[in-house]
Each structure stands twice: as C-alpha cells, then as structure tokens.
C-alpha cells in the first residue's frame, strides 16, 4: 500500500487508512453517492474502481452525483457494470451516455450552479449517504485540501453522513492554497456572495470536514485522465478572428474597457481554441471568471496577458497538465478554484459583467440554441454551466462550425430540435463563416442576420427560402414558422443521411 502518512497530518486519522476494497465494501445498494470531480479532474479513482470490481460479482447500483463530467475510472467503470441507477448533473463518458440513451440510467441534466442546492434540499431523492472525495492532503484538524477541481465537493462533504477520502500522491502539495472554499447558506438565510472582483477571496483554502466525519482514508496514485485537445484548425481560427474583431469594435463604440470584461469560456476544443486566439491579439490584462481552466489560459499566462483566472477545475490536455505542474508556483499567483456554486453563480455573473462564450450543437434562425441533444432525442453531454452564464452575462456568445458530418448537417436550422437557451438569452452567434450580432433585433431581423452572416453557403438559400415562405404563410407573423416543415431538416437527415434536398 502507498505510504500517505506524510499527507495525513493528523496522526489519529492515520489509523483510518485502508485499502480501496475495504472502503468500497462500505457502499450499499441504492445509496446516494456524492463525489468530487469536475471534468476529468480531481475525481476519486481507486475506490470507484474497487466498487466496480465488486459490482461485477455482486450486481447492484447507486445514485451518483458529481460536479460535472468525471474520468473513466468513475463514470466509465461504474457504467460498464451497470452500477449507476441515477446520475446528475453532467457527463461526457461514452458508456454512461449509452446507458442514458438506452433507457438504463435515469439522468437529470441540471444547471451546474444549482446542482449542489438540489442535493442539499433533498430534491434528488434524499440526502447524501456517502461523499467520496480526492485530496492532496488532510490537515491536522481533519480538513481536506482539494486537488485539481472544486465542483460540488465542499457541499457534498458538508451534507454527507460519511466521508471517504482518497489521498492522491500524483497531485502536488503545491495545490494547497489555490482554492477558495465558500458554501452559501440556503434560503431563507442566504447572504449576497461577496465577489465583486475576479480575484476576491471569500472563503478558506480547505474544505471544512473534521476528524469524526471521515470514515476511511484510501491511498491512490492514479493521475487525472485528462484528454488532448484537437489542433487549432482553420475553422476555429476563423471563429477566433471574428470574435476578436467584434470585441475591438465594441471597445471603439465605448461599450467595453480596453481589457474587456471578465471572460467565461466553456469546455472543449472550440472554447480552448477561441481563448488561445487571444494570445496573439493586442489584448492584455485579461480577467477570466469561468468553469474550466484549460491550456489556453496557461498560454495567456505565459504570454503575460492574463491578470487573473478564477474557475472550478483545471482541465488541461496531458501536455497542459505537465506544464501546470511544472510551473505551478507561477500559476498559483494568477489562478484560483472555487466551488461551482460560486464559479457559476448567476448573481456573480450579472454583477461583474461576464462575457459568456459557449458551444452549440445547433441554433435556429431566430436565435434559440440546442446545447445538449442530437436530433432532438439523444443526450450528448448536458447543459453544464452554459445556461448559468447565458441568461446572466453582459454578453452571451455561442460558437459552432456551420456544418457537421462533412456537410450533411447544418448547424443552423429553421427550428432547433431541442432548446436549452431561448432567443431571449442570446446575443452573438459565431461560425467560421462569420458573426451575427442580434442584439435589439426582432425575430425576423435576427433570422436574416444569422442566415446571411453564419450559415454555410450550401444551406443559406434553403434557409432564406424557408423564412420567406414562412413569412408569406403566416402573413408576416412575429416569429414565422411553417409548423409541419420546421423540423423537416432533422427528419430528412434521419431518413436520407443529409439535410440537403
């Protein structure tokens, strides 16, 4: 067994160090399990793997609550053995996704900012029985030093009857001090969240827990299963160019300061590429208030253009993670992790004037956005934090390539097959083709701006034809639609393999 006694600073707690198998034996069928982790960062690994192995010979399932997506040692391992009965609030694992779309796993797709409160209130089917959390150390008082994510960990530890702690020796002790742990009171006792600047510290550097609540402590030496990003392709480069030009125009118009307002960027390749585009720009002293800190943030810091970044998870590529560990003493001066209730807080987003930049699966001609479902039915990952920011940001931007599946699918359609963000919450749309600023426009004006500026040339005539016929059929109604044709593009794709006529 790995020696972790130097990381368990309370000697009495060292008696609770056990194997992953012994800790996993404590889990009972139908328990509500709250775990650390947000993206493949800071999630428990050893105990879930031992639990999955136990489930192979002793089939049962549990209800699993996370911060967001987590790594294959947790979501993947448990999904493969049928060990997940219910899951919330976000995921990205292919085996878990298959279980959700195959009707084997009940999935509650939640706004990330409200998921911890849902759990505390018991909306998810009772209290948290066990919290399983990854740490890099335990203090003398029995408090927990998180690793590469915060997510919902602090709330789950606060609410759980029992806490099982994984001490991960691959996570550097220099992470201590990079967290700002603050769990708000619940209504009617909630106070304003006192964040008025991106770098404000309002909590503790540890998760309050205490010796008595800790049931078991498990050694772990499995690193985060971070994923590589796709290379910066031409489409991503063009989208980055479009948004940077737009920001410069906003500064000239007096609607933004020279260093912009705090940036929020979603998860994944497109979001990382857009942020990376700032590196070669004229912008400096940039501030970031977001969910995930990815490679692009490290690029900004290394270029001397990042003033401060606040998030709830470090979610870099494998190369980015190595760079983070190697330069952690420098990055810790400009980066901080908070609970997702705070990182995704609508209150804070509205107060500090966030520029929200997220990715869409599709959007329609009137500005409604689908972030979650393929062809209206199949769950992809989930809404994540995009809704937390979209509704409350100073400026809400959505990005997508104009087509998918080698041109067989248009990302811009007459009507979204599923709506996560309504037209009332969206301002800017960006594809590799161009940018549509739809602020202050009526639905029919929005439609022409989106079609002409963002749609692929192969689909632009079809979209304009639909709009013009819808206007004629409805006699220029406020939001013209031909109802029996509005979703025909999706039907055509499912029947023929393309949205093209």
């Amino acid at each position: 067994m790995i020696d972790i006694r130097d990381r368990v600073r309370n000697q009495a707690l060292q008696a609770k160090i056990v194997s992953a198998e012994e800790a996993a034996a404590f889990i009972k069928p139908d328990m509500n399990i709250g775990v650390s982790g947000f993206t493949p960062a800071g999630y428990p690994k050893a105990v879930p793997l031992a639990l999955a192995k136990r489930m192979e010979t002793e089939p049962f399932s549990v209800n699993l609550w996370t911060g967001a997506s987590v790594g294959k040692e947790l979501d993947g391992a448990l999904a493969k053995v049928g060990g997940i009965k219910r899951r919330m609030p976000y995921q990205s694992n292919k085996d878990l996704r298959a279980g959700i779309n195959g009707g084997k796993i009940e999935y509650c797709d939640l706004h990330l900012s409200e998921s911890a409160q849902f759990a505390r209130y018991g909306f998810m089917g009772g209290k948290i029985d066990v919290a399983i959390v990854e740490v890099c150390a335990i203090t003398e008082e029995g408090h927990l030093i998180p690793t590469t994510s915060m997510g919902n960990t602090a709330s789950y530890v606060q609410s759980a009857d029992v806490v099982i702690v994984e001490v991960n020796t691959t996570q550097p002790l220099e992470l201590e001090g990079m967290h700002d742990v603050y769990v708000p009171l619940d209504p009617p006792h909630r106070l304003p969240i006192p964040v008025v600047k991106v770098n404000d510290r309002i909590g503790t550097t540890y998760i309050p827990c205490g010796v008595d609540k800790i049931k078991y402590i498990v050694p772990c030496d499995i690193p985060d299963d971070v994923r590589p990003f796709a290379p910066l392709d031409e489409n991503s480069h063009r989208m980055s160019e479009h948004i940077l030009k737009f920001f410069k125009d906003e500064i000239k118009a007096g609607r933004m300061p020279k260093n912009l307002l705090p940036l929020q960027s979603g998860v994944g390749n497109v979001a990382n590429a857009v942020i990376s585009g700032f590196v070669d720009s004229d912008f400096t002293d940039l501030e970031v208030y977001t969910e995930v800190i990815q490679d692009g943030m490290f690029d900004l810091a290394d270029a001397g253009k990042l003033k401060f970044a606040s998030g709830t998870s470090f979610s870099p590529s494998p190369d980015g993670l190595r760079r983070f560990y190697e330069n952690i003493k420098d990055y810790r001066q400009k980066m901080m992790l908070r609970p997702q209730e705070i990182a995704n807080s609508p209150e804070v987003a509205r107060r500090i004037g966030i520029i929200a930049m997220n990715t869409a699966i599709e959007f329609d001609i009137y500005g409604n956005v689908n972030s979650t479902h393929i062809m209206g039915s199949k769950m992809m990952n989930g809404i994540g934090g995009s809704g937390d920011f979209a509704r409350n940001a100073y400026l809400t931007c959505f990005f997508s390539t104009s087509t998918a599946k080698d041109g067989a699918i248009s990302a811009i359609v007459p009507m979204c097959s599923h709506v996560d963000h309504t037209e009332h919450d969206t301002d800017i749309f960006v594809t590799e083709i161009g940018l549509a600023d739809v602020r202050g426009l009526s639905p029919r004006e929005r439609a022409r701006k989106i079609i002409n500026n963002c749609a692929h040339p192969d689909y632009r005539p079809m979209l304009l034809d639909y709009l013009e016929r819808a206007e004629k059929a409805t006699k220029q109604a406020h939001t013209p639609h031909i109802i029996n044709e509005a979703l025909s593009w999706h039907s055509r794709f499912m029947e023929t393999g393309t949205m093209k006529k």
Side-chain angles (χ1 to χ4, degrees):
M1 188 181 295
I2 307 161
D3 189 356
I4 57 171
R5 287 174 295 178
D6 60 325
R7 292 179 178 239
V8 181
R9 298 169 189 165
N10 181 294
Q11 287 194 345
L13 280 175
Q14 293 178 6
K16 297 186 178 184
I17 298 174
V18 301
S19 67
E21 289 74 19
E22 185 174 345
F26 181 78
I27 307 301
K28 305 294 188 295
D30 296 321
M31 271 187 167
N32 296 327
I33 310 296
V35 299
S36 62
F38 192 107
T39 66
Y43 59 97
K45 305 163 182 76
V47 175
L49 285 171
L51 180 60
K53 189 172 182 62
R54 176 186 162 201
M55 288 172 168
E56 288 178 358
T57 56
E58 184 187 340
F60 69 93
S61 61
V62 296
N63 304 312
L64 184 63
W65 308 342
T66 68
S69 57
V70 288
K72 65 179 185 292
E73 300 89 349
L74 179 48
D75 269 347
L78 294 182
K80 283 180 179 178
V81 297
I84 302 175
K85 182 178 182 180
R86 291 183 176 274
R87 178 72 166 78
M88 76 94 171
Y90 182 88
Q91 54 75 40
S92 62
N93 179 271
K94 62 182 180 62
D95 295 305
L96 178 56
R97 185 184 303 121
I100 292 167
N101 288 319
K104 297 177 181 178
I105 298 171
E106 301 298 337
Y107 178 51
C108 183
D109 183 25
L110 284 176
H111 294 297
L112 296 186
S113 68
E114 64 180 359
S115 56
Q117 180 172 294
F118 260 57
R120 291 197 300 269
Y121 274 3
F123 293 167
M124 301 303 301
K127 59 181 175 58
I128 296 175
D129 298 301
V130 181
I132 309 175
V133 303
E134 179 182 275
V135 306
C136 62
I138 303 175
T139 71
E140 292 180 356
E141 298 78 19
H143 301 320
L144 311 179
I145 307 299
T147 59
T148 44
S149 71
M150 274 298 304
N152 284 328
T153 312
S155 177
Y156 291 162
V157 167
Q158 172 186 292
S159 303
D161 291 337
V162 168
V163 177
I164 296 173
V165 182
E166 276 194 19
V167 178
N168 193 315
T169 56
T170 71
Q171 299 280 18
L173 289 170
E174 288 84 357
L175 285 163
E176 186 169 359
M178 293 193 74
H179 308 87
D180 184 38
V181 183
Y182 176 96
V183 178
L185 297 172
D186 287 322
H189 307 292
R190 179 165 295 164
L191 301 173
I193 296 171
V195 173
V196 296
K197 300 190 302 296
V198 168
N199 61 348
D200 280 344
R201 280 194 168 273
I202 62 174
T204 60
T205 57
Y206 56 82
I207 297 172
C209 182
V211 173
D212 294 339
K213 186 173 272 195
I214 297 174
K215 178 72 174 178
Y216 297 117
I217 301 170
V218 175
C220 180
D221 62 354
I222 304 171
D224 286 340
D225 182 37
V226 292
R227 298 161 294 196
F229 292 114
L232 182 62
D233 62 13
E234 185 61 29
N235 286 339
S236 298
H237 181 69
R238 287 177 182 171
M239 285 189 274
S240 182
E241 285 185 331
H242 295 324
I243 197 67
L244 290 174
K245 180 182 182 302
F246 170 77
F247 288 152
K248 290 178 180 178
D249 291 342
E250 288 294 286
I251 293 169
K252 289 179 183 177
R255 290 190 284 261
M256 280 193 204
K258 288 184 178 180
N259 67 330
L260 304 178
L261 290 164
L263 303 172
Q264 177 268 329
S265 179
V267 179
N269 293 314
V270 172
N272 187 65
V274 169
I275 288 292
S276 294
F278 282 90
V279 174
D280 297 323
S281 73
D282 300 329
F283 294 106
T284 59
D285 292 326
L286 293 168
E287 293 184 311
V288 174
Y289 196 91
T290 191
E291 300 170 299
V292 292
I293 296 175
Q294 302 186 132
D295 290 23
M297 307 294 183
F298 301 146
D299 294 338
L300 287 177
D302 293 345
K305 297 194 172 187
L306 179 69
K307 186 174 180 180
F308 202 87
S310 166
T312 193
S313 172
F314 291 114
S315 187
S317 68
D319 288 340
L321 187 63
R322 283 191 292 272
R323 178 161 44 135
F324 172 62
Y325 286 162
E326 290 170 1
N327 299 283
I328 192 168
K329 291 182 179 178
D330 294 326
Y331 292 143
R332 64 184 290 129
Q333 306 302 318
K334 293 186 175 183
M335 298 178 185
M336 174 168 55
L337 298 185
R338 310 177 189 271
Q340 67 194 65
E341 281 186 282
I342 310 304
N344 288 48
S345 167
E347 173 195 348
V348 176
R350 181 64 64 89
R351 178 186 300 125
I352 66 177
I354 281 174
I355 299 171
M357 300 182 290
N358 290 287
T359 305
I361 289 175
E362 65 180 359
F363 50 92
D364 67 29
I365 59 176
Y366 297 116
N368 300 291
V369 173
N370 171 15
S371 292
T372 58
H373 285 72
I374 304 299
M375 295 294 135
S377 298
K378 297 288 188 181
M379 170 58 66
M380 186 63 183
N381 296 331
I383 194 170
S386 56
D388 296 324
F389 297 106
R391 179 67 184 89
N392 301 283
Y394 170 83
L395 196 66
T396 296
C397 314
F398 278 97
F399 295 79
S400 176
T401 53
S402 63
T403 62
K405 295 289 184 183
D406 296 322
I409 293 175
S410 173
I412 300 151
V413 292
M415 179 183 281
C416 281
S417 59
H418 176 92
V419 175
D420 295 291
H421 316 285
T422 75
E423 64 196 83
H424 309 291
D425 298 337
T426 59
D427 302 312
I428 309 296
F429 293 93
V430 187
T431 68
E432 80 281 7
I433 304 299
L435 181 148
D437 178 359
V438 300
R439 291 174 295 179
L441 302 183
S442 69
R444 288 183 290 118
E445 290 173 324
R446 278 175 165 242
R448 283 180 168 80
K449 181 68 74 73
I450 288 171
I451 293 169
N452 289 325
N453 289 25
C454 295
H456 193 278
D458 289 353
Y459 289 98
R460 193 177 299 144
M462 294 171 60
L463 290 165
L464 286 171
D465 174 66
Y466 173 85
L467 175 62
E468 290 166 359
R469 288 187 294 107
E471 287 175 325
K472 184 176 180 180
T474 62
K475 299 180 180 179
Q476 305 293 322
H478 181 252
T479 307
H481 267 305
I482 304 171
I483 293 300
N484 64 357
E485 191 180 326
L487 294 174
S488 63
W489 289 37
H490 301 86
S491 298
R492 185 160 56 246
F493 173 79
M494 289 189 287
E495 291 169 4
T496 69
T498 181
M499 286 185 173
K500 295 176 183 177
K501 292 183 179 178

